Amino acid sequence: MSKRSILLGNEAIARGIVEAGCEIATAYPGTPSSEILPAVAAYSDQLGTKTAVEWGANEKVAYEMAVSASFGGKRTCCIMKQVGLNVAADPFMSTAHFDLKGGFLLVVSDDPGPHSSQTEQDSRYFAMFAKVPCFDPSTAEEAKEMVFDAYDLSEKHGIVTMLRPTGKVDHARQDVPLRDEVLPPRKDEFKKDPKRWVCLPAGVKVNHPRLNDKNDAIRNEFEEDYGKYNYVVPAKGTVRLGIIAGGTTFAFLSDMIRTSGRDDIEILKIGTPVPLPVKLCDEFIARHEKVLVLEQTYPVIETQLNDRTKIMGRWNGFVPRAGELLPELIEGIIAECLGDKVETSIDEDVRSAMEEMHVTPRPPMLCPGCPHRASFFAIRKALPKAINPSDIGCYTLGIMQKGVDSAIDMGAAVTAASGFYLASKVDGEERPVVATIGDSTFFHSGLTGLASAVYNRHAFVLAILDNRITAMTGGQSSPNVGTKLRKGDQGVQIDLEQVCRGCGVSYIKTVEAYDVNENVDVVKDAWAYAWENKEPAVLIFKHPCITILKEPPTPRPVRVDPEVCIGCKYCITSFNCPGLVFDESSKKAYIDERYCVNCGVCMSVCPHGAIVSREEA
């Protein structure tokens, strides 16, 4: 290693993947993992490798492509966020039993907190469930180094290995070493062997005991040979407390001890929590009167310990069972364990900083000029009593326009619409159902729900909000867009209307999302067709994302006429644009020029005609 560079954690992981000789990399975007695959493509271009880099339509697709490519001996990887592993759980559990040939690395980024996820689940439990080894990095540099060890371990034991960074590792920046050379590629030598590559039930009798043997062997290796990830940080003074910590909690704890000058805490750092090096933990616990276990998010280390009588953790309430273990929280937990008093001023510090910067807290909302806002407004205006299931993505923020009544997981807008329709049908009542889903999410897992709805004759309107990009996770491509990541690669753009027709949908219309007045009538017409014919109707609300695609709207500057505005706040509560605000002193709405992008859509909103073109003034 001769060079170093300051990289984002996700870039460091990507660099490690390319340097380690990975030749097939797949993913589905999801915060906090989204930057890894584009960085794999960039480093592959930079280092001149032949690495195939592709987005899958969803995580199951991405996983199955990557793991199958390893059957012949190639090093491959698949990348996703924690809820994505729920989608890929089926092939993950199956292939955990396989005796792989090439190295296969699964990168799953967890989101303690959570900051951008519908769950706070801990993927280390999935590793325990599948009985595959897991590496839990504390820093970006460690995450990059773990990529190499995970590949070596995978090839040595023929097993899937998991790298599980959390958001703080993914999005931290650190000076990391760069290798001069990429490890050489492996030849693809796939040999037909149904007993090895077909998950027949009869094979489980052989595969499961073999998987148990692999786990025992790997646990022994984690005890003896992985001292760079599992080690003791001794106290400089008289020890009052022993702490077992892993992942980002180890990093937070180390920083806190260094800055506070504490010399009374000894730490056992665990970087390989599954399977846990239990002997190492037992020896550490035996040396201390009190031992605190700090890990995110579930008690994975704590659960695997042989004896918890000395342990202070989640099982006896010393550590909260939900939420991110931030430094100020860790400080309070340690104080409670030692019976000390601690005073933290973090809330006061944050409040003072916000006052100084003149920051006013407000709930998340769609961006100014977002086409989804106009779509939600038209849908709500057309059918105000409709039930509106929605999905995971930017459009979940339509909840601020009362346009989202349910959101379960990716693709559930379509299947929930079927469920709401069936509930009304059983009661013999007509209740409109208008579901909303994004274009990328529709390809992720909305397709199967639509095919089921057509087959079963479910009456609802499916509104596909097509903004030409996967916006919530940072602007990745999808089958609807067709672009690819490596230079010179050209994908095929799949037409949404043709896909819906292929699923058997008869009523399909594509509309301009900004055209609110026209779309109100289109939504009413679509529901009338769906109810009369007892089948789904599809509307595609099309307009590019102006924030990520940088396609500003045709300027249509507006103003609020104070002589006409009656102060009803309808534009605020129903349209919910950051560019529209209410002046409590004058009791009138006005345009906040700091946020307004001059899309002019709000002229369709005010029922009294108070929002008018500035050119008409």
Side-chain angles (χ1 to χ4, degrees):
M1 298 181 190
S2 59
K3 295 182 290 186
R4 298 185 71 89
S5 181
I6 296 176
L7 301 180
L8 194 70
N10 280 342
E11 294 171 339
I13 293 169
R15 180 79 187 199
I17 288 169
V18 177
E19 290 178 354
C22 173
E23 293 183 84
I24 292 92
T26 65
Y28 184 80
T31 305
S33 71
S34 301
E35 298 88 355
I36 299 177
L37 194 70
V40 170
Y43 287 127
S44 297
D45 288 336
Q46 181 182 327
L47 296 172
T49 70
K50 294 181 179 178
T51 314
V53 183
E54 297 192 350
W55 293 116
N58 63 28
E59 293 85 354
K60 180 176 183 290
V61 171
Y63 185 98
E64 289 165 349
M65 287 194 295
V67 74
S68 299
S70 76
F71 291 175
K74 294 287 188 186
R75 280 192 168 185
T76 70
C77 77
C78 183
I79 303 147
M80 60 191 68
K81 68 179 297 183
Q82 91 278 16
V83 291
L85 188 52
N86 301 341
V87 180
D90 203 1
F92 175 56
M93 297 301 293
S94 290
T95 55
H97 284 63
F98 282 19
D99 191 27
L100 300 180
K101 184 175 181 182
F104 175 64
L105 173 66
L106 172 64
V107 181
V108 187
S109 293
D110 280 4
D111 185 18
H115 299 280
S116 59
S117 306
Q118 62 268 42
T119 72
E120 201 177 12
Q121 65 197 58
D122 188 329
S123 296
R124 297 177 304 162
Y125 257 126
F126 248 131
M128 287 179 63
F129 189 26
K131 298 184 177 179
V132 304
C134 176
F135 291 80
D136 189 14
S138 297
T139 66
E141 180 174 356
E142 190 176 55
K144 180 174 182 289
E145 185 61 24
M146 284 177 168
V147 169
F148 293 88
D149 289 303
Y151 272 122
D152 289 342
L153 196 73
S154 175
E155 289 174 344
K156 180 178 180 181
H157 294 279
I159 194 170
V160 178
T161 53
M162 178 189 291
L163 177 69
R164 179 256 188 184
T166 56
K168 291 290 192 292
V169 171
D170 289 306
H171 293 151
R173 287 193 179 275
Q174 188 179 9
D175 184 26
V176 301
L178 307 180
R179 296 191 180 214
D180 292 328
E181 296 181 353
V182 175
L183 295 181
R186 273 73 169 162
K187 189 174 177 57
D188 178 30
E189 296 176 320
F190 178 73
K191 294 180 181 177
K192 294 179 183 294
D193 185 356
K195 290 183 179 177
R196 186 173 184 179
W197 305 122
V198 181
C199 58
L200 290 170
V204 178
K205 294 178 181 177
V206 176
N207 295 342
H208 196 175
R210 183 181 60 202
L211 179 59
N212 289 335
D213 291 342
K214 288 179 181 179
N215 262 257
D216 292 341
I218 292 169
R219 188 190 307 277
N220 289 334
E221 290 179 31
F222 283 169
E223 299 273 6
E224 304 292 337
D225 304 329
Y226 284 78
K228 59 182 175 180
Y229 302 139
N230 305 318
Y231 54 86
V232 173
V233 181
K236 294 181 179 177
T238 302
V239 178
R240 296 174 64 200
L241 181 66
I243 299 179
I244 301 175
T248 50
T249 55
F250 171 77
F252 291 159
L253 183 62
S254 299
D255 286 346
M256 192 205 76
I257 288 175
R258 184 168 53 251
T259 55
S260 66
R262 294 198 75 126
D263 62 357
D264 55 355
I265 294 175
E266 186 168 82
I267 307 171
L268 172 60
K269 192 263 190 187
I270 295 293
T272 61
V274 181
L276 183 69
V278 177
K279 291 179 185 174
L280 206 59
C281 295
D282 285 347
E283 292 169 2
F284 181 82
I285 293 168
R287 296 204 309 270
H288 297 87
E289 185 178 343
K290 296 179 178 179
V291 175
L292 172 67
V293 179
L294 293 173
E295 55 185 326
Q296 297 196 99
T297 301
Y298 292 172
V300 172
I301 294 174
E302 199 175 310
T303 300
Q304 295 179 80
L305 296 174
N306 287 322
D307 183 357
R308 289 189 292 174
T309 53
K310 282 187 182 180
I311 299 299
M312 294 175 285
R314 288 189 172 85
W315 78 281
N316 52 9
F318 278 91
V319 179
R321 292 190 291 177
E324 194 170 15
L325 293 181
L326 296 170
E328 60 271 22
L329 187 59
I330 292 174
E331 189 177 7
I333 294 169
I334 292 172
E336 183 182 356
C337 291
L338 293 174
D340 296 340
K341 288 185 178 180
V342 63
E343 294 181 0
T344 176
S345 59
I346 184 66
D347 292 339
E348 182 60 29
D349 291 344
V350 171
R351 189 188 62 77
S352 299
M354 291 178 68
E355 285 183 355
E356 186 177 336
M357 293 187 290
H358 304 290
V359 173
T360 303
R362 64 181 179 188
M365 59 177 63
L366 295 165
C367 301
C370 175
H372 298 345
R373 175 179 291 105
S375 304
F376 277 114
F377 185 80
I379 291 168
R380 290 283 298 151
K381 191 171 182 181
L383 299 168
K385 294 184 179 179
I387 301 174
N388 299 120
S390 191
D391 226 290
I392 308 301
C394 294
Y395 29 92
T396 311
L397 297 172
I399 195 170
M400 301 303 293
Q401 293 176 262
K402 301 176 182 176
V404 176
D405 293 321
S406 73
I408 304 171
D409 60 5
M410 297 280 276
V414 189
T415 42
S418 287
F420 287 123
Y421 164 72
L422 288 173
S424 298
K425 180 185 175 185
V426 168
D427 286 349
E429 296 180 354
E430 177 185 350
R431 176 123 189 226
V433 179
V434 183
T436 48
I437 190 171
D439 47 337
S440 177
T441 311
F442 176 70
F443 281 106
H444 179 282
S445 47
L447 270 166
T448 47
L450 183 59
S452 174
V454 171
Y455 162 59
N456 288 297
R457 302 194 74 99
H458 295 162
F460 61 84
V461 178
L462 176 62
I464 303 176
L465 308 185
D466 177 9
N467 61 357
R468 320 301 300 157
I469 205 164
T470 312
M472 179 66 99
T473 48
Q476 294 77 24
S477 185
S478 76
N480 186 40
V481 181
T483 57
K484 297 190 71 177
L485 287 164
R486 291 295 307 268
K487 289 181 180 176
D489 281 0
Q490 182 63 48
V492 174
Q493 184 176 345
I494 301 175
D495 184 78
L496 275 170
E497 283 200 11
Q498 290 187 29
V499 170
C500 294
R501 286 196 181 90
C503 287
V505 178
S506 300
Y507 185 106
I508 307 169
K509 283 187 178 178
T510 298
V511 301
E512 163 54 53
Y514 272 4
D515 192 351
V516 170
N517 292 332
E518 176 69 20
N519 293 342
V520 170
D521 292 334
V522 171
V523 172
K524 291 178 180 175
D525 183 65
W527 168 248
Y529 178 89
W531 180 252
E532 181 181 347
N533 294 277
K534 296 296 181 285
E535 62 185 54
V538 173
L539 296 177
I540 302 170
F541 289 78
K542 192 171 183 178
H543 194 93
C545 170
I546 69 164
T547 301
I548 297 177
L549 290 178
K550 308 298 182 189
E551 295 187 26
T554 301
R556 294 196 299 166
V558 300
R559 69 183 182 92
V560 177
D561 186 340
E563 300 299 322
V564 181
C565 177
I566 65 169
C568 65
K569 294 186 179 180
Y570 180 76
C571 60
I572 309 291
T573 57
S574 298
F575 199 59
N576 194 238
C577 179
L580 277 165
V581 290
F582 192 76
D583 185 341
E584 292 293 344
S585 59
S586 66
K587 303 298 181 187
K588 306 284 184 182
Y590 70 95
I591 304 298
D592 188 338
E593 300 293 345
R594 295 177 300 168
Y595 301 106
C596 181
V597 296
N598 297 319
C599 69
V601 177
C602 58
M603 285 190 290
S604 306
V605 172
C606 179
H608 309 287
I611 304 175
V612 296
S613 170
R614 204 183 298 166
E615 294 173 356
E616 296 174 6

